[in-house]
Amino acid sequence: MIEVQDIRKAFDGEEILKGITTTFPKGQTNLIIGQSGAGKTVFLKCLLGLFRPDKGKILYDGSPYSSFSDEEQRELRQQMGMVFQGGALFDSMTVEENVMFPLRMFTRQRRSVMIKRVKEVLDRVNLAEAQHKKFPVEISGGMQKRVSIARAIVNKPKYLFCDEPNSGLDPQTATVIDNLILELTREYDITTVINTHDMNSVLEIGEKIVFLKGGKLEWEGDKNVIFKTDNESVTEFVYSSDLFQKVRKAQNQGF
């Protein structure tokens, strides 16, 4: 679990995060949503430890990051998996080498042990063994995203962070990726935090949703209540989404 207590962050005198307090439960998919400029990326980077909040606390399973020693911070980073927006795979490495990278960086395991673990996670994300020796350019965008997820979980993280994991994917593939992240979150009992603007993801896997506006927590809930809220900012965000526009267009056409 990650607890956020009144965190604030400013750059060049401009306050970007304005006192956010929330909790991201373990074993659930926690989504951060909001319009561009709402502070989602800065918030995610604070959770990752890339930015240190000016005020407030972030606690990981009850322990405040601000009290961690340098060694404890390094250990925490090893417990974090990250799925980047563009996948961020190394073009010069094979699929297998990409997934093995965190093991080589953070562990001293024998190569045979690392290869076994790499095979386990690649099989778990439904990538056939024939794909292991290929380079990222030789596989589809959806497969690349699954490789990125495999790399993120290869070290058995306690915390999984995803930045726009469906970016650039068609709706069907995006749904596959959403469900894979949900399955892995529950299977490994991970605290998963996803930064997204995709309403499809919200409706598919939004077990906890945090809506930011102007650097503040404007609303929080889940996928079952987001359409029922009377919060005007949330309603405006939801009903301006591409998903809602497609649904409304289909309704108007009598489908």
Side-chain angles (χ1 to χ4, degrees):
M1 180 172 69
I2 300 175
E3 300 172 73
V4 180
Q5 299 178 354
D6 194 31
I7 68 166
R8 298 173 181 270
K9 183 65 181 176
F11 295 96
D12 299 324
E14 180 183 359
E15 195 171 41
I16 306 300
L17 302 182
K18 304 174 182 178
I20 296 176
T21 297
T22 191
T23 301
F24 297 118
K26 185 180 181 182
Q28 291 188 17
T29 44
N30 303 278
L31 274 59
I32 304 171
I33 66 172
Q35 303 284 1
S36 297
K40 301 191 303 296
T41 299
V42 173
F43 187 32
L44 186 66
K45 288 184 176 181
C46 285
L47 297 175
L48 281 162
L50 298 177
F51 292 156
R52 185 181 291 271
D54 300 325
K55 295 181 180 179
K57 293 181 180 180
I58 301 177
L59 295 87
Y60 301 86
D61 292 323
S63 300
Y65 183 82
S66 56
S67 69
F68 286 3
S69 65
D70 290 345
E71 179 61 28
E72 288 171 330
Q73 289 179 22
R74 283 192 291 270
E75 290 178 2
L76 177 64
R77 283 194 290 271
Q78 292 178 31
Q79 296 171 350
M80 293 179 173
M82 181 71 197
V83 179
F84 296 92
Q85 181 173 345
L89 300 177
F90 298 106
D91 294 335
S92 60
M93 294 183 182
T94 64
V95 164
E96 182 179 77
E97 291 168 338
N98 266 282
V99 178
M100 193 185 298
F101 184 78
L103 296 175
R104 292 174 58 193
M105 176 175 288
F106 294 119
T107 76
R108 296 181 178 179
Q109 298 174 2
R110 298 191 308 275
R111 180 173 175 80
S112 60
V113 175
M114 290 192 290
I115 290 175
K116 180 181 178 181
R117 176 58 182 163
V118 168
K119 185 180 186 304
E120 288 175 355
V121 293
L122 283 171
D123 288 349
R124 180 58 190 83
V125 300
N126 302 315
L127 281 176
E129 189 168 350
Q131 309 295 340
H132 294 190
K133 301 299 182 182
K134 291 187 176 181
F135 290 88
V137 71
E138 299 177 293
I139 60 177
S140 69
M143 287 181 177
Q144 290 179 25
K145 199 58 64 85
R146 280 188 273 160
V147 173
S148 182
I149 293 171
R151 183 177 62 184
I153 65 170
V154 72
N155 259 343
K156 301 179 181 179
K158 295 173 65 176
Y159 314 97
L160 177 63
F161 298 93
C162 306
D163 186 20
E164 301 286 0
N166 291 335
S167 178
L169 301 179
D170 63 85
Q172 183 176 1
T173 303
T175 298
V176 170
I177 295 300
D178 280 338
N179 289 327
L180 178 59
I181 292 172
L182 176 61
E183 290 170 8
L184 292 170
T185 297
R186 293 176 175 174
E187 183 177 330
Y188 296 116
D189 200 24
I190 306 172
T191 301
T192 296
V193 181
I194 304 167
N195 184 11
T196 186
H197 68 277
D198 188 348
M199 278 303 300
N200 288 284
S201 297
V202 171
L203 297 182
E204 284 283 343
I205 61 170
E207 295 184 299
K208 167 72 180 283
I209 303 166
V210 169
F211 178 81
L212 301 186
K213 181 180 180 181
K216 297 181 179 180
L217 193 156
E218 180 75 12
W219 177 89
E220 57 184 347
D222 60 39
K223 64 181 182 180
N224 298 315
V225 299
I226 193 167
F227 277 106
K228 302 174 184 177
T229 179
D230 56 3
N231 184 295
E232 293 183 1
S233 297
V234 177
T235 301
E236 180 182 356
F237 177 82
V238 170
Y239 289 97
S240 64
S241 68
D242 291 340
L243 173 62
F244 180 76
Q245 295 302 324
K246 290 177 182 177
V247 171
R248 186 165 64 177
K249 182 178 179 180
Q251 290 173 339
N252 290 338
Q253 292 175 345
F255 292 111

